[in-house]
């Protein structure tokens, strides 16, 4: 009889693959003890201060900051590929009005693969151009897919992209029909930068698992969007605002927190597998929020969120459970007038650059992901004919 206990040999079992490296990567790195994040060796704070989403995407994909000429070429290509085919828009029209924008995005990204077939075996210089064009196509089209669905679900016509606007400004324009103020554009741009990449998180891993079978990149990115949508990952940014709405007042925060903790329930936007201190991106997002509210003062969402953070410091903070990137992003987006269910799609618009950087890094060298399991079921049972079963 075969030994059912092992797939081959099992050395250790770590639930959620905690602490188990699954790839070598040069895309980004995190120091979870001190709350520090770098993309390609550059501090995220410097990128948030000085870069643009377009430049940061180039950095992630190509490993180096672009020259002025390279950036202008990259930017022109992104602008050129923003449009989506009318058949994709028709497909969106048939989605139920109640469809979550993340479900729509996952479906339409998967459908894009039918329009842009990817060669089965890629290698060499010629294919470098194919790989680059996939990256451009996906980064360029995600904002259009999100904005088109957001309008069409309310019966409004999609607004075609404009090629005289930046990635962030064009997204805002396609969503609202208005050009953003400079501050709005910059806030969205920085939010895109800080969400663009984060080492081996669940959605990036989903990209790599799917791509390791040599599935096409649209399928792989669609898998990543599905993983990001979950409330333990990117979906938490939407849940945080629902939580703030439910709490309603600063005074209610303590009762809410105590009830959740007594019931052993998680607080959305707190905790992280890697960070055991405040996520540096949460700090950057608070800075953005403060810029937006500089003249008018902070609102109730921020005051409740801060109260939750303060109250949780003695209990959860002591365990290393602190605000993550999803805790403060929603209050920024809401201040920009963006509906709550678009927060996670905005995360995807930014993160697609990171997913693609990892996809590109693994191309040609990756081995199919096929981990082992520890079998805990029965062994050697006999088949019982149906009329003899009790
Ligand atoms: C972009 C992103 O994906 S950032 C993460 C977004 N997700 C969220 O904000 C959802 C809420 N947070 C969580 O569910 C978790 O912290 C995760 C999924 C992010 C990380 O999970 P893990 O690394 O598996 O941590 P795990 O769930 O084992 O938690 C470790 C301990 O901290 C506690 N803890 C972790 N997060 C929370 C939380 N949000 N609220 C209360 N307690 C928490 C756990 O109860 C556990 O306590 P214990 O050791 O006493 O049993
Ligand atoms: O790294 C993680 O596990 C989750 C996260 O913060 C991200 O994907 O941005």
């Amino acid at each position: 009889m075969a030994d059912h206990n092992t797939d081959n040999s099992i050395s250790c079992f770590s639930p959620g693959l905690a602490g188990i490296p699954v790839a070598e990567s040069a895309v980004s790195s995190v120091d979870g003890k001190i709350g520090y994040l770098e993309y390609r060796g550059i501090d995220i704070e410097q990128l948030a201060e000085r870069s643009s989403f377009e430049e940061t995407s180039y950095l992630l994909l190509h490993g180096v900051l672009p020259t002025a000429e390279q950036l202008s070429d990259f930017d022109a290509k992104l602008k050129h590929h923003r449009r989506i085919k009318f058949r994709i828009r028709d497909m969106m029209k048939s989605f139920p009005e109640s469809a979550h924008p993340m479900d729509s995005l996952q479906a339409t990204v998967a459908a894009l693969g039918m329009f842009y077939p990817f060669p089965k075996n890629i290698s060499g210089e010629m294919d470098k151009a194919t790989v680059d064009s996939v990256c451009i196509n996906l980064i360029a089209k995600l904002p259009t897919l999100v904005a088109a669905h957001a309008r069409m679900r309310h019966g409004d016509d999609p607004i075609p992209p404009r090629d005289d606007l930046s990635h962030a400004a064009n997204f805002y324009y396609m969503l609202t029909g208005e050009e953003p103020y400079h501050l709005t554009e910059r806030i969205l741009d920085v939010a895109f930068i800080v969400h663009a990449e984060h080492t081996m998180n669940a959605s990036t891993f989903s990209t790599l698992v799917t791509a390791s079978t040599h599935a096409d990149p649209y399928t792989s990115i669609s898998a990543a969007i599905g993983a990001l949508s979950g409330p333990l990952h990117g979906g938490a940014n939407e849940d945080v605002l629902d939580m703030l709405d439910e709490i309603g007042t600063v005074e209610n925060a303590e009762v809410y927190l105590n009830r959740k903790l007594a019931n052993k329930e998680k607080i959305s936007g707190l905790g992280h597998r890697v960070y055991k201190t405040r996520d540096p991106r949460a700090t950057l997002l608070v800075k953005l929020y403060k810029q937006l509210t500089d003249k008018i003062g902070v609102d109730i969402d921020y005051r409740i969120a801060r109260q939750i953070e303060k109250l949780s410091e003695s209990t959860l903070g002591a365990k290393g459970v602190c605000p993550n990137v999803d805790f403060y992003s929603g209050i920024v987006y809401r201040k920009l007038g963006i509906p709550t269910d678009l927060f996670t799609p905005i995360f995807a618009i930014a993160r697609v650059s990171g997913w693609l950087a990892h996809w590109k890094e693994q191309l040609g060298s990756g081995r199919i992901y096929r981990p082992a399991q520890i079998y805990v079921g029965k062994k050697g049972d006999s088949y019982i004919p149906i009329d003899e079963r009790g």
Side-chain angles (χ1 to χ4, degrees), residues 146-147 150-151 159 170-177 338-339 342 346:
V146 172
R151 292 186 67 82
I159 298 175
N170 176 59
F171 171 62
Y172 186 89
Y173 168 73
M174 290 189 295
L175 200 59
T176 63
I338 297 173
L342 294 187
I346 291 178

Side-chain angles (χ1 to χ4, degrees), residues 79-137:
K79 285 177 167 147
H80 187 71
H81 287 89
R82 283 177 178 164
R83 285 176 185 272
I84 52 171
K85 298 201 184 277
F86 74 86
R87 282 167 195 264
I88 295 277
R89 291 202 300 268
D90 283 353
M91 178 184 158
M92 274 186 221
K93 266 191 209 150
S94 67
F95 292 165
E97 277 159 40
S98 58
H100 193 284
M102 278 301 271
D103 295 333
S104 161
L105 186 63
Q106 185 180 22
T108 49
V109 165
L112 281 183
M114 290 184 259
F115 294 94
Y116 306 98
F118 190 70
K120 281 251 176 281
N121 299 303
I122 61 153
S123 64
E125 263 313 290
M126 187 196 85
D127 294 326
K128 197 181 155 304
T130 310
V131 168
D132 286 348
S133 77
V134 165
C135 296
I136 293 282
N137 208 25

Side-chain angles (χ1 to χ4, degrees), residues 30 194-195 197-204 228 232-233 272-275 279 281 324-325 347 351:
V30 176
V194 305
H195 284 87
E197 159 61 11
H198 206 255
T199 74
M200 199 48 67
N201 57 82
S203 53
T204 298
L228 186 72
L232 297 191
H233 192 14
H272 199 278
R273 176 65 62 77
V274 184
Y275 293 119
D279 182 331
R281 300 166 298 173
N324 59 53
V325 68
F347 195 152
R351 183 54 61 86

Side-chain angles (χ1 to χ4, degrees), residues 26-331:
V27 181
S28 67
S29 65
V30 176
D31 183 329
K33 276 202 200 96
I34 58 166
Y36 182 74
L37 168 63
E38 286 181 344
Y39 296 170
R40 299 285 187 185
I42 302 177
D43 182 356
I44 181 76
E45 254 189 66
Q46 284 186 40
L47 292 167
E49 178 87 28
R50 305 177 66 177
S51 188
S52 63
F53 176 71
E54 290 86 331
E55 185 184 57
T56 297
S57 296
Y58 185 101
L59 170 72
L60 290 169
L61 291 170
H62 298 283
V64 288
L65 286 168
T67 62
E69 201 187 332
Q70 285 167 333
L71 181 58
S72 145
D73 178 56
F74 184 72
D75 184 40
K77 284 183 182 147
L78 284 177
K79 285 177 167 147
H80 187 71
H81 287 89
R82 283 177 178 164
R83 285 176 185 272
I84 52 171
K85 298 201 184 277
F86 74 86
R87 282 167 195 264
I88 295 277
R89 291 202 300 268
D90 283 353
M91 178 184 158
M92 274 186 221
K93 266 191 209 150
S94 67
F95 292 165
E97 277 159 40
S98 58
H100 193 284
M102 278 301 271
D103 295 333
S104 161
L105 186 63
Q106 185 180 22
T108 49
V109 165
L112 281 183
M114 290 184 259
F115 294 94
Y116 306 98
F118 190 70
K120 281 251 176 281
N121 299 303
I122 61 153
S123 64
E125 263 313 290
M126 187 196 85
D127 294 326
K128 197 181 155 304
T130 310
V131 168
D132 286 348
S133 77
V134 165
C135 296
I136 293 282
N137 208 25
L138 275 159
I139 297 170
K141 285 185 172 43
L142 252 67
T144 318
L145 293 172
V146 172
H149 177 256
R151 292 186 67 82
M152 285 162 73
R153 66 179 167 159
H154 299 307
D156 295 327
D157 284 333
I159 298 175
R162 272 179 40 187
D163 62 10
D164 59 334
L165 297 176
S166 70
H167 203 71
N170 176 59
F171 171 62
Y172 186 89
Y173 168 73
M174 290 189 295
L175 200 59
T176 63
E178 286 165 22
E179 275 184 46
Y181 291 118
H182 177 69
L183 179 63
T184 302
E185 175 180 0
R186 184 61 192 146
I187 298 270
L188 256 186
D189 193 27
V190 178
F192 286 167
I193 293 172
V194 305
H195 284 87
E197 159 61 11
H198 206 255
T199 74
M200 199 48 67
N201 57 82
S203 53
T204 298
F205 186 44
S206 300
T207 310
L208 295 186
V209 170
T210 310
S212 80
T213 70
H214 293 186
D216 77 80
Y218 296 91
T219 303
S220 304
I221 296 301
S222 164
I225 293 167
L228 186 72
S229 71
L232 297 191
H233 192 14
N237 63 6
E238 181 179 335
D239 285 1
V240 169
L241 268 283
D242 291 343
M243 170 180 79
L244 300 181
D245 289 340
E246 187 187 335
I247 296 173
T249 66
V250 174
E251 293 69 36
N252 289 345
E254 190 162 10
V255 176
Y256 178 91
L257 186 69
N258 290 342
R259 192 186 70 231
K260 284 279 194 187
L261 296 185
N263 292 339
K264 303 220 170 310
E265 288 176 62
K266 298 258 177 84
I267 312 294
S268 297
L270 299 185
H272 199 278
R273 176 65 62 77
V274 184
Y275 293 119
K276 296 304 159 203
T277 182
R278 205 189 208 219
D279 182 331
R281 300 166 298 173
T283 304
L284 287 166
L285 287 160
V286 168
K287 230 165 123 183
L288 293 186
Y289 175 82
K290 293 273 176 70
Q291 283 174 36
L292 266 179
T293 54
D294 184 28
K295 300 220 165 50
I296 47 174
V298 297
D299 64 8
I300 186 69
D301 290 333
Y302 177 77
R303 287 192 289 121
I304 299 172
R306 269 299 292 154
Q307 181 72 354
I308 291 281
E309 180 175 4
K310 270 195 221 148
L311 290 168
S312 67
E313 266 158 18
S314 56
T315 45
L316 297 176
K319 277 202 230 175
V321 175
C322 302
N324 59 53
V325 68
D326 289 330
F327 197 65
Y328 285 113
S329 59
I331 61 166

